[in-house]
Amino acid sequence: AKELGRNNYQFYSPDMNAKTMRQLGMEAELRKAIERNDLCLHYQPQFEIETGQVVGIEALVRWNHPERGMIPPEDFISLAEETGLIVSIGNWVLSRACAQNRALQDAGLSPLRMAVNLSPRQFNQRDLPEQVAKILRVTGLEPCWLELEITESIIMQDLETTIDQMVRLMELGVRISIDDFGTGYSSLSYLKRFPIQTLKIDRSFVRDIGSDSDDTAIVAAVIALAHNLKLEVVAEGVETQDQLNFLKSRGCDLAQGFLFSRPISAEALLELLLSQAAG
Ligand code: C2E
Ligand code: CA
Ligand code: CA
Ligand code: CA
């Protein structure tokens, strides 16, 4: 018992304690943020490479902290995932993004696709398809204008369950895309079995187009593979004209990145879309 006690004591080292305390504090704050509506969405447009037109938008969550300012998702999504708070955050993001997309259509703009990120825990909620259906009903958004982005880490869990959940979502009429493609290790043969429409090439490959011949080859191969499987390809993290030229030469469908636009507020998005519509 004494030994055990000592081990326990070691486990709760002062460092660990401080870290746990910080996390507990942050968890409580995050709960408050959800209640107080301190989360907000920014939107990054996706451009059709051929025409230069905005055809899609990705919704990206931020935490507008009263003292610390805008906190990026990287600083709170994993905590939300660990604590389960991601389920309520995720539902809020879905509702907000669908309502925003519906509002753009109501403003007379031609319909765009709204992409929303799903975390593994959120994807694995058995009632996710019912939640999505309800949100579509309440916001009045047609399902075809919603795209759910999932990462390969989801896929690596249980294949049959994953496919089953994807099919239930597909049956609602929403689109599914694989995000950060190439960074996980999903077998290529899985791709054929998934009811998906889009592959998003991770920005780590796009970044090194031109300078790293391996990454350049990977990007070219992913575009060719996706097209063979009748999937649409989105390149993310496009920052330079050279990257865009290469993607265009390979027939990549859509591009998203700082070259076109950073993630922007709903107001700025509306302005951008209105100026595009005006020609
Ligand atoms: P992601 O899904 O890969 O989203 C793209 C991230 O790349 C965004 O970061 C975006 O600002 C950034 N980005 C876009 N274009 C460029 C570029 O040209 N250059 C560079 N360097 N970066 C670019 P953000 O908004 O900080 O989001 C980070 C990650 O947080 C997202 O990566 C996604 O995994 C996660 N995330 C964001 N919103 C949500 C959400 O609502 N739910 C969940 N589960 N995860 C989210
Ligand atoms: Ca994404
Ligand atoms: Ca991504
Ligand atoms: Ca990424």
Side-chain angles (χ1 to χ4, degrees):
K2 222 171 186 177
E3 282 304 309
L4 195 70
R6 208 154 70 207
N7 283 339
N8 271 346
Y9 181 73
Q10 269 177 356
F11 180 73
Y12 292 107
S13 67
D15 263 7
M16 184 71 158
N17 210 22
K19 192 179 166 214
T20 310
M21 290 307 286
R22 263 203 311 278
Q23 270 185 357
L24 283 175
M26 186 134 162
E27 182 183 343
E29 279 197 70
L30 189 51
R31 273 180 206 284
K32 232 189 296 163
I34 298 167
E35 279 164 28
R36 301 198 328 192
N37 228 340
D38 284 346
L39 299 179
C40 69
L41 293 184
H42 279 186
Y43 301 92
Q44 190 174 35
Q46 299 177 331
F47 291 76
E48 190 171 59
I49 293 179
E50 195 61 36
T51 62
Q53 292 286 300
V54 178
V55 294
I57 313 158
E58 180 173 2
L60 295 157
V61 72
R62 275 100 183 82
W63 176 0
N64 196 353
H65 193 281
E67 286 120 45
R68 283 187 280 163
M70 276 301 179
I71 303 179
E74 252 114 24
D75 294 353
F76 65 92
I77 289 291
S78 62
L79 176 70
E81 180 80 4
E82 281 164 34
T83 54
L85 285 172
I86 194 69
V87 176
S88 45
I89 293 177
N91 279 332
W92 179 84
V93 170
L94 271 168
S95 302
R96 193 77 213 88
C98 289
Q100 182 61 46
N101 202 18
R102 177 67 221 201
L104 292 173
Q105 291 183 16
D106 291 344
L109 293 160
S110 40
L112 303 169
R113 234 154 60 194
M114 177 71 76
V116 174
N117 294 284
L118 293 186
S119 79
R121 186 139 172 183
Q122 198 186 355
F123 179 83
N124 287 325
Q125 296 287 307
R126 188 66 195 149
D127 70 344
L128 176 69
E130 286 77 25
Q131 294 295 335
V132 172
K134 187 172 148 202
I135 288 166
L136 290 168
R137 207 166 47 239
V138 169
T139 58
L141 183 71
E142 279 176 90
C144 63
W145 302 117
L146 175 64
E147 182 163 77
L148 303 174
E149 296 196 357
I150 62 182
T151 58
E152 290 171 276
S153 54
I154 290 171
I155 296 157
M156 289 315 294
Q157 293 167 8
D158 174 68
L159 187 60
E160 295 311 321
T161 314
T162 300
I163 292 178
D164 183 59
Q165 185 78 320
M166 283 182 175
V167 167
R168 294 172 67 218
L169 290 166
M170 180 203 70
E171 284 170 353
L172 298 175
V174 303
R175 298 170 56 103
I176 302 178
S177 82
I178 305 292
D179 198 4
D180 301 344
F181 185 71
T183 58
Y185 27 13
S186 64
S187 150
L188 290 179
S189 66
Y190 291 0
L191 280 182
K192 262 200 319 206
R193 298 191 51 197
F194 291 150
I196 58 172
Q197 289 76 37
T198 308
L199 276 192
K200 295 190 79 176
I201 306 178
D202 191 65
R203 75 163 183 268
S204 59
F205 302 111
V206 173
R207 186 182 53 214
D208 293 330
I209 285 175
S211 58
D212 181 315
S213 63
D214 287 345
D215 281 350
T216 308
I218 289 171
V219 170
V222 170
I223 296 170
L225 168 84
H227 285 164
N228 278 326
L229 294 171
K230 307 274 182 293
L231 302 176
E232 181 190 65
V233 196
V234 181
E236 57 179 23
V238 179
E239 293 183 355
T240 71
Q241 188 63 44
D242 285 348
Q243 290 165 352
L244 181 63
N245 291 345
F246 176 80
L247 292 163
K248 189 168 186 179
S249 76
R250 296 304 172 126
C252 182
D253 305 290
L254 308 191
Q256 179 182 346
F258 295 171
L259 177 65
F260 296 96
S261 170
R262 288 182 175 260
I264 51 181
S265 68
E267 295 74 36
L269 176 71
L270 179 62
E271 215 169 290
L272 178 103
L273 295 172
L274 287 172
S275 76
Q276 171 177 287

